[in-house]
Structures are given as C-alpha cells and as structure tokens.
Amino acid sequence: MDLKSSFNLKYYVTMLLCLLMDDISTVFPRGSMDLEALESSHSPAPDNPYEREGSTSRGLTLHKGLPEKADLLSLEVKRSQPLLIQSGRWGRLRDEEPRSSSLPDIPNPFPELCNSSPILSNTPNSSSPLEGGPHMVKVYSEDGTCRSLEVTAGATARHLCDMLVERAHCLSDESWSLVELHPHLGLERCLEDHESVVEVQAMWPAGGDSKFIFRKNFAKYELFRGSPYALFPEEMIAGNLEAHKGLSHSELIQNFLNSGSWPEIQGYLHMKESGRKVWKRFFFFLRRSGLYYSAKGTSKDPRHLQYFADVNESNAYCLTQGKKLYSAPTEFGFCLKPYKMRSGTKGLKILCSEDEPSRTCWLTAIRLFKYGAQLYKNYQLSRRSPQSWTDLKKQRSVSDSTLVPMDFSGCTGRVIENPLEALSVALEEAQSWRKKTTHRYSLPTPCQTTPSSAVIHKTQPWYHGRLSRDETQRLITQQGMVDGVFLVRESTRNPKGFVLSLCHLQKIKHYLILPCEEDAKPFYSMDDGQTKFVDLIQLVEFHQINRGILPCTLKHYCTSVAL
C-alpha cells in the first residue's frame, strides 16, 4: 500500500471515530456518562460468562435511542453525587461476604488464647479497661516501706486491708484503712471499705505522685461506737433533737441513717475564691440537694442561698498543707474534689473550719449524706465474729493453719474445737493477765527489777522512740482524733524522761513520765511519785484499765507496720 492510500485510510478511520464520539456526546452530554458502565467497559473480562453477557447487553441499551426528559434529570442528579469506583474482583468479594457468613463456624482449638489476646478474638472487646485481668497496686506504710499487690478489678479497700494485715502479721480490726494521698495537692482521704481500689487508682493523673497509705483510722466508725451527739454539736444541727432523746443507740443510728429524718448541718466556714488567694467567711448549709452558703448572713431565704457543690459527685479530702499551698486561715481545712477532675487545683472546692470538732462534724455529715446506710453495713462487715472464722481459715497460710487452741486446765491437754469456747478462753486469759497488774501500788521487789525492764518498752507497738511534738500531733491526727488514742515517746527536753501523748475531746495532751528512785530501786511515775510503776509496760497496762490522773483510759495506740 502506498503512502497516499495509507493516509486516506487513517483519515477515514479518524473521521469515523469523530462521528462516533459526536453521536455519543449528543445522547449523553460531556461529563455525564455513566461511570459504572465506563468502568465495566474498560475492566478486564470477567471470568463468569453470564456477567459478560450482562455487561454487553447493558452496553447495547445505551445506544437504543435518546433518553426522555425524566431520564436526563436523573442523570444530572447522578452527576453531582460522588460514586465509588470498585474493580470487578473487589465487587465479587463484596457479593460473596454474606455467602461466607452463612457457612458453619469452625471451632477454635485454643479458646483460652482468644480471651487474652485481642488479635485472636473474633468479636471486638467492648469491656472497659478496668475489667479483666489482675492489676498491680502499690501500697506504702508510715515508715516509707511499700508492697506491690496483685488484685482483681473488683477488689475493695477492705479486701486490700485484709491482705496487708495477713502479710504484715498484725492484729486485724476495723480501724485498718487505706488512705488516698495526693502530696502535690496536699490532700488525703480515707477510702470507704466498699470502694474499688482499681477505680480510684484509675482516676489519678498519669506520672503523678499520688499513692496509697496503709494506716489505722480509729475515727472511721466512731459514729457507730459512741453517741452521735459527740460528733455533731448542738449549734450545728438545724433541727429539733428533742424527739431523739430517750432512744437507744441503735434506734438513734437508724433514725440518723433514715433519709427522711436526717437534719441539716449548718455553720460558718471560710471559703476560698476560685483562682485567688482571698478567703471569705460565709454561713453554710448541708442539705440532701447539695452544699449551699448564704450571701446575707445566716438567712435561709432561697433568694440568698448560693449553690456551692454537690457532695454526691465529689470526694471529701482533708488539707495536709493548707497554709503552705492555699494560704488557709486555719489548720482545719478540707475540700470537695469532683470525680471528673484529675489534675490541677482549678476545680477544687476548698473550705476551712474554725477548729477540729467542726471539721470532723462536716466531714462525717458529708459521708453520711453521700453513702447513708452503706457505712453502717461496712461497719458490721468489718467487725469479725466467731462465725466468720471459717472464712478466715481459707485466707490463712499453711504455718498459721497448724496452730490450734488448747486447754491445759486438766491432767492432759485438750484441743478446743468449738470457736466460741476458744474465744471465751482467750478473753478469760487476757482478763486475768490484766487483773494481775490492776493494783500495783507497792514498791517493786528485787525479783521484779531486772536489767531488761529498762528497755523492754522498746519492743511495744505503742512506743515510737524519739518523736517531736509536731510529728506526734500529726500522727495522732492522721490515725483519728478519738478519745483514748495514745502513744509513748522519748522526751526532747528531759533526756531520761518519756512523754505520754493522749487524745481527749479532739485535743492532744502530753504527760511527762519521769524516772525516780526509792531505796535504790528505779521506777516511773507521772504524779511526782504518788503512783509508781516498775516499767513503762506496767504504766500503760494500768491506765488501759484505770483512768488515774488521765482524763480517760488508754484505748487505741498509734502504730505503724512495715510492709
């Protein structure tokens, strides 16, 4: 073929293509072509012959004639909407998805791996991060030692205290508590026995210095041990208490826990303004709907009441460094920290009372308003009865389980199998031991005076060695301002003397113990030799039964254990 004929052939082919393109553009305006048809025409030939026929017939229907006006309108709407272009292979996989879901499931030979590994799990994990496996909780003691415990997500503060009591080999009672401490904020609070330790730890800021402290708190359930009127002064109760007089202690507690009969708590408090160091004094009211203060004196008119905080959505903390961090006017500060607040001081509701009794009254009332009868239930559960010994047997170690109570009153020893009998025998032995030292007014005999009697007090849990007055007051305050809380320490002024620090009516008093001699025999006395004791142990045991010159007997000793 010559050059001219090849040129004419190319010309005719080009003209034919132009005519075809012009015909298509008249039917479908430029830019309004069916993208799905265009994609299927340029896609590779499908493997299914039926799909090939469908695509061919669909392509032929495009050129049968001009579309009507309604079809053109529908085409214009389609043009303005984005279309997802998918290849034929992905379209077939998408069509095959419901077919594969109808197939029977193949059993998993390793089901235990799917519970712990999210990669092998077929369903997404919808549980919260607090649920599931064990969690590590680090607890500190008063002397700075710490212990890491592995607990479950539902472990409460009472469960954790029981574990620490067992591992530290100390006596178990309801006063052991778990304290939440935030040193950077100067805040601390005692966790309730039913609170989840893992949930509380999850609310701490990441990388902070917050921690748990294991210590005693004798004031935690003082409301249920003594008279409620001792904690709530008459001037702070906004109600008629004459109706409650004459009731027994249990009936009075039930009335106080009843939501319909609980009175309002009122009194003056210093309030710190948000973002400023200015403190103002207002008259506050604690009601079930929240904490309010009056903008006009002591008026209870709703026009003068200002909403302050919701106690049900906050935790109440004591200020440990109120004057240093918040310029508090007194040392008896406390605050309400909302649940949603993790770090910073912007959301803190800081208050300050005039003295320790008023602060104790406010904090106790907030606990009662917030938890109600749950506190009384915690108190009953924390008091271990002989019937619960079977539950304690499961928690004891193997070496402890080998110890059994014995009775040696007869010719041969007898194992005491009844728990009630074992408890009564133990109480009788303890009472007889105390009666031996009830009336020791005479001088010690030579057989009683031994070289070890001068230092035997150092092995007692109530002895704290060289402790300053400020540290003593801080320790007693932390472990509860309850009547009878005491400790014995060395005197900082008299090198040979000792000091008995005792709490009474929420005030700490200090009594000097001086050594003296009579007929070359040493003894100790707190009343200038009128009552003499051979050593400090005899002095403490005597005042645990008899008040003597003290305002009350010695009931609870401050102690710290090493974890």
Side-chain angles (χ1 to χ4, degrees):
M1 182 181 296
D2 56 357
L3 183 60
K4 183 176 182 180
S5 59
S6 64
F7 177 79
N8 291 335
L9 181 60
K10 291 180 179 180
Y11 175 78
Y12 288 127
V13 172
T14 305
M15 291 299 294
L16 182 59
L17 292 175
C18 290
L19 290 175
L20 290 175
M21 294 299 296
D22 186 57
D23 188 17
I24 293 175
S25 63
T26 56
V27 179
F28 301 104
R30 184 178 180 88
S32 65
M33 296 178 64
D34 191 351
L35 296 179
E36 186 178 356
L38 183 63
E39 181 268 332
S40 61
S41 63
H42 286 80
S43 62
D47 298 333
N48 194 346
Y50 298 101
E51 293 184 4
R52 187 183 298 112
E53 293 177 1
S55 61
T56 307
S57 62
R58 183 176 56 184
L60 293 175
T61 56
L62 296 176
H63 304 285
K64 284 184 178 180
L66 294 175
E68 297 181 0
K69 186 175 182 180
D71 299 333
L72 291 175
L73 292 176
S74 63
L75 290 173
E76 290 295 334
V77 173
K78 287 183 178 181
R79 183 180 60 179
S80 62
Q81 297 177 354
L83 298 176
L84 180 61
I85 301 177
Q86 295 182 347
S87 62
R89 181 178 300 176
W90 289 107
R92 289 194 303 273
L93 291 177
R94 183 182 59 185
D95 296 336
E96 291 174 1
E97 284 179 1
R99 228 180 307 170
S100 62
S101 62
S102 62
L103 295 177
D105 294 335
I106 301 175
N108 185 10
F110 305 103
E112 65 277 2
L113 297 179
C114 296
N115 297 331
S116 59
S117 176
I119 300 177
L120 300 178
S121 178
N122 295 327
T123 58
N125 186 15
S126 59
S127 61
S128 63
L130 298 181
E131 299 177 358
H135 300 265
M136 297 302 299
V137 177
K138 183 178 291 187
V139 183
Y140 291 82
S141 64
E142 294 287 350
D143 57 357
T145 59
C146 66
R147 180 185 289 269
S148 297
L149 300 175
E150 190 178 71
V151 298
T152 59
T156 62
R158 185 75 253 170
H159 294 158
L160 204 64
C161 289
D162 291 340
M163 294 173 60
L164 293 172
V165 164
E166 181 183 1
R167 299 193 180 188
H169 303 286
C170 51
L171 296 177
S172 176
D173 55 21
E174 67 272 11
S175 60
W176 286 112
S177 307
L178 203 64
V179 179
E180 179 187 5
L181 180 63
H182 301 281
H184 63 288
L185 298 177
L187 305 178
E188 71 174 21
R189 76 176 182 100
C190 176
L191 267 67
E192 303 297 342
D193 286 345
H194 66 275
E195 288 191 70
S196 173
V197 179
V198 178
E199 290 182 2
V200 173
Q201 185 175 254
M203 297 302 295
W204 294 350
D209 55 353
S210 303
K211 57 184 177 180
F212 288 122
I213 305 294
F214 179 60
R215 71 161 70 116
K216 283 199 171 187
N217 183 15
F218 301 103
K220 183 169 61 172
Y221 295 123
E222 184 64 18
L223 172 66
F224 308 115
R225 284 193 289 257
S227 174
Y229 299 106
L231 293 176
F232 300 100
E234 236 181 275
E235 63 273 8
M236 296 186 66
I237 304 296
N240 185 15
L241 298 181
E242 296 293 333
H244 298 294
K245 291 185 177 180
L247 299 178
S248 63
H249 179 66
S250 59
E251 293 175 344
L252 188 62
I253 290 296
Q254 294 299 329
N255 286 352
F256 271 22
L257 294 178
N258 187 6
S259 60
S261 62
W262 179 253
E264 296 180 3
I265 305 297
Q266 61 185 12
Y268 280 100
L269 289 174
H270 297 272
M271 181 182 67
K272 183 179 181 298
E273 295 187 2
S274 179
R276 302 179 60 185
K277 295 185 178 181
V278 180
W279 290 79
K280 292 186 178 181
R281 192 168 178 260
F282 293 97
F283 199 76
F284 277 79
F285 303 92
L286 179 59
R287 299 176 176 177
R288 295 207 170 269
S289 57
L291 185 62
Y292 301 85
Y293 67 93
S294 177
K296 189 175 182 180
T298 60
S299 175
K300 293 185 179 181
D301 195 320
R303 298 175 301 174
H304 302 149
L305 293 182
Q306 300 290 331
Y307 178 78
F308 183 73
D310 186 5
V311 296
N312 294 320
E313 298 296 331
S314 306
N315 285 324
Y317 292 81
C318 288
L319 298 183
T320 58
Q321 303 179 27
K323 289 189 174 182
K324 180 180 180 181
L325 298 179
Y326 305 102
S327 302
T330 65
E331 298 179 353
F332 313 104
F334 64 97
C335 82
L336 297 175
K337 184 174 178 290
Y339 291 150
K340 299 179 180 179
M341 178 182 172
R342 289 181 174 267
S343 60
T345 59
K346 189 176 182 180
L348 295 178
K349 304 291 185 179
I350 305 177
L351 298 170
C352 193
S353 58
E354 297 291 345
D355 50 18
E356 183 62 35
S358 62
R359 179 172 71 169
T360 304
C361 176
W362 283 107
L363 293 177
T364 306
I366 290 174
R367 292 175 61 206
L368 283 173
F369 271 69
K370 185 176 179 181
Y371 300 110
Q374 181 66 42
L375 293 181
Y376 190 63
K377 182 179 179 181
N378 295 344
Y379 171 64
Q380 290 179 326
L381 293 176
S382 63
R383 301 176 64 187
R384 303 199 179 278
S385 58
Q387 287 78 9
S388 64
W389 284 10
T390 56
D391 299 333
L392 290 176
K393 189 176 180 181
K394 300 177 182 178
Q395 303 176 1
R396 299 172 67 181
S397 61
V398 178
S399 59
D400 293 339
S401 300
T402 58
L403 302 177
V404 294
M406 298 288 296
D407 180 18
F408 297 99
S409 58
C411 299
T412 59
R414 179 178 65 90
V415 177
I416 303 176
E417 298 180 355
N418 188 0
L420 294 176
E421 183 183 359
L423 180 62
S424 62
V425 169
L427 294 177
E428 289 178 2
E429 291 182 356
Q431 192 68 18
S432 62
W433 173 260
R434 288 190 172 185
K435 286 181 179 179
K436 293 179 181 179
T437 58
T438 302
H439 304 286
R440 294 186 180 180
Y441 293 99
S442 59
L443 294 176
T445 58
C447 61
Q448 293 175 321
T449 306
T450 57
S452 61
S453 62
V455 294
I456 195 174
H457 56 267
K458 295 184 178 180
T459 61
Q460 302 302 309
W462 40 257
Y463 182 75
H464 289 258
R466 182 170 292 274
L467 202 66
S468 64
R469 180 183 287 255
D470 295 338
E471 292 175 346
T472 301
Q473 293 181 349
R474 178 188 60 82
L475 183 60
I476 295 179
T477 302
Q478 288 177 349
Q479 298 197 10
M481 300 290 288
V482 178
D483 290 354
V485 178
F486 74 99
L487 61 86
V488 179
R489 57 187 175 90
E490 294 182 7
S491 176
T492 55
R493 298 182 179 179
N494 193 328
K496 296 183 179 180
F498 300 90
V499 177
L500 173 66
S501 300
L502 174 66
C503 178
H504 179 64
L505 298 178
Q506 298 187 351
K507 293 182 179 180
I508 302 175
K509 300 180 180 181
H510 307 274
Y511 299 89
L512 185 62
I513 305 173
L514 293 176
C516 51
E517 291 185 1
E518 186 170 328
D519 297 335
K521 298 175 183 178
F523 55 88
Y524 295 92
S525 177
M526 290 192 302
D527 52 5
D528 297 331
Q530 295 183 11
T531 309
K532 308 176 183 64
F533 303 96
V534 65
D535 52 23
L536 294 181
I537 296 180
Q538 185 182 10
L539 183 146
V540 170
E541 288 182 349
F542 173 82
H543 289 94
Q544 284 178 336
I545 304 175
N546 305 277
R547 189 178 67 177
I549 65 170
L550 303 177
C552 63
T553 58
L554 306 180
K555 299 179 181 179
H556 315 289
Y557 56 84
C558 290
T559 183
S560 59
V561 296
L563 297 178

